[in-house]
Amino acid sequence: MTATLYDTSKGLVEYSYAGIGPAILLLKGGHSSRDTDLSHNSLIYEGYSLLTISRPGYDLTETSTGRTPGAFAETIIEILDHLQIDRVTVIAISAAGPTGISLAVNHPHRVEKLIMEAALTTPWNAKTKKQARLLFGKGEKAVWKGVRTLLKVSPNLAMKQIMSSLTTDPVDEYLNKLSPNDRRFIYDMLQTSRSGKGFVMDIDHTVSDLSKITVPVLGMYTQKDKSVDYSNAILLQSTVPTCEIYEVKSDSHLIWIGENAAQVWNKRLEFISQ
């Protein structure tokens, strides 16, 4: 989809907007670029319009547009106003969880529903923050260049290194169970991944008071996610009265692939259309 730059009151934001029908706002997770598609682009063919906004520090969205989830939520409202979109269903993925929550808490009149897909509801721990700054700070370009080089030389080894931090299963066992399409999904995800200045901002994000969410919420999480612990789902369910948790029988953080990928897709569509 063609990317557009919009000059908001706080700086440039990159977004794409395509399709015809009720609007869905997609907020991608950490390391995701404009070219990273975790299958959500297909929502256009289900009769929805898809607005994908790159979060601060990713692609060409400037960091000044929102160093906190709350600040960027205000910027998102500017874009919705610009596009004359009254209400959206928000899909927040992984590290975009705090931004999705901020939108729902601070602008419930603009949010139809909130879908949290393997999304954070808690702050990052100190160890993860330290590792993230080392890997994805100033050296992020070199890190991802190395990953892409390894993908060409030894795709299996590249996937093994990345997936070891995303699944609680033995990584060799996990990889052996993947279908060719699942392996292509991971390959394409890694090929398009970049952290920019965004990920080091993500790790310092705080989360709004979950109890203030009043819109319907669907959380989709798996017990085998090593990156976003299932405790995030438990906290969401126990704090938000309007929340439904769908436990995905997935073997990793990547709930969009595997034997149960169709169930994830159908559950999302069912929730949106309710």
Side-chain angles (χ1 to χ4, degrees):
M1 289 185 284
T2 304
T4 301
L5 282 178
Y6 179 61
D7 193 5
T8 72
S9 62
K10 291 183 285 187
L12 293 174
V13 172
E14 179 177 325
Y15 71 86
S16 62
Y17 188 37
I20 300 172
I24 295 175
L25 168 61
L26 177 64
L27 299 171
K28 297 181 184 179
H31 312 300
S32 294
S33 74
R34 66 176 69 85
D35 298 316
T36 306
D37 179 19
L38 303 180
S39 76
H40 297 83
N41 284 353
S42 295
L43 286 166
I44 294 169
Y45 306 108
E46 297 286 348
Y48 296 97
S49 56
L50 185 64
L51 171 61
T52 305
I53 300 179
S54 297
R55 295 186 298 113
Y58 292 100
D59 300 320
L60 296 178
T61 298
E62 296 177 327
T63 57
S64 59
T65 59
R67 294 186 175 278
T68 65
F72 192 58
E74 300 299 324
T75 302
I76 290 172
I77 296 300
E78 276 195 55
I79 297 169
L80 296 183
D81 289 343
H82 168 67
L83 295 172
Q84 298 182 328
I85 300 173
D86 184 39
R87 291 168 67 83
V88 291
T89 290
V90 179
I91 297 177
I93 299 172
S94 194
T99 304
I101 292 167
S102 286
L103 267 173
V105 168
N106 298 316
H107 302 280
H109 58 295
R110 306 299 294 271
V111 176
E112 192 78 38
K113 297 173 182 177
L114 172 62
I115 303 175
M116 301 280 283
E117 300 191 5
L120 283 165
T121 62
T122 56
W124 301 75
N125 62 55
K127 181 180 179 182
T128 302
K129 285 185 177 184
K130 184 177 181 180
Q131 291 175 338
R133 288 192 179 96
L134 287 173
L135 286 172
F136 304 112
K138 293 180 180 179
E140 68 88 19
K141 287 185 180 179
V143 168
W144 287 116
K145 183 178 180 181
V147 169
R148 283 188 283 275
T149 300
L150 189 57
L151 271 175
K152 293 178 182 178
V153 177
S154 178
N156 203 62
L157 182 56
M159 292 183 192
K160 183 175 181 178
Q161 287 188 349
I162 298 298
M163 293 310 302
S164 63
S165 64
L166 299 180
T167 178
T168 58
D169 280 349
V171 69
D172 286 322
E173 179 183 307
Y174 173 80
L175 291 174
N176 287 337
K177 289 190 292 185
L178 293 176
S179 70
N181 284 340
D182 291 339
R183 297 179 75 88
R184 169 53 63 178
F185 181 101
I186 296 175
Y187 184 96
D188 290 345
M189 180 188 74
L190 296 179
Q191 188 74 8
T192 59
S193 291
R194 282 293 300 274
S195 307
K197 297 178 180 178
F199 195 68
V200 291
M201 292 175 61
D202 289 348
I203 59 176
D204 288 325
H205 284 174
T206 56
V207 182
S208 301
D209 185 350
L210 293 173
S211 67
K212 293 183 178 179
I213 296 177
T214 56
V215 304
V217 178
L218 171 65
M220 296 200 287
Y221 295 84
T222 174
Q223 297 268 10
K224 292 188 176 183
D225 190 337
K226 192 175 180 180
S227 174
V228 176
D229 191 81
Y230 197 75
S231 59
N232 287 269
I234 295 172
L235 178 63
L236 193 63
Q237 186 174 41
S238 63
T239 312
V240 181
T242 56
C243 177
E244 174 190 358
I245 294 297
Y246 179 69
E247 183 178 338
V248 183
K249 301 303 180 184
S250 170
D251 294 327
S252 78
H253 181 64
L254 305 182
I255 63 173
W256 312 278
I257 61 174
E259 294 180 354
N260 294 287
Q263 285 93 320
V264 170
W265 181 259
N266 291 332
K267 182 63 180 178
R268 185 195 297 121
L269 288 179
E270 175 191 309
F271 180 74
I272 294 172
S273 64
Q274 285 175 348

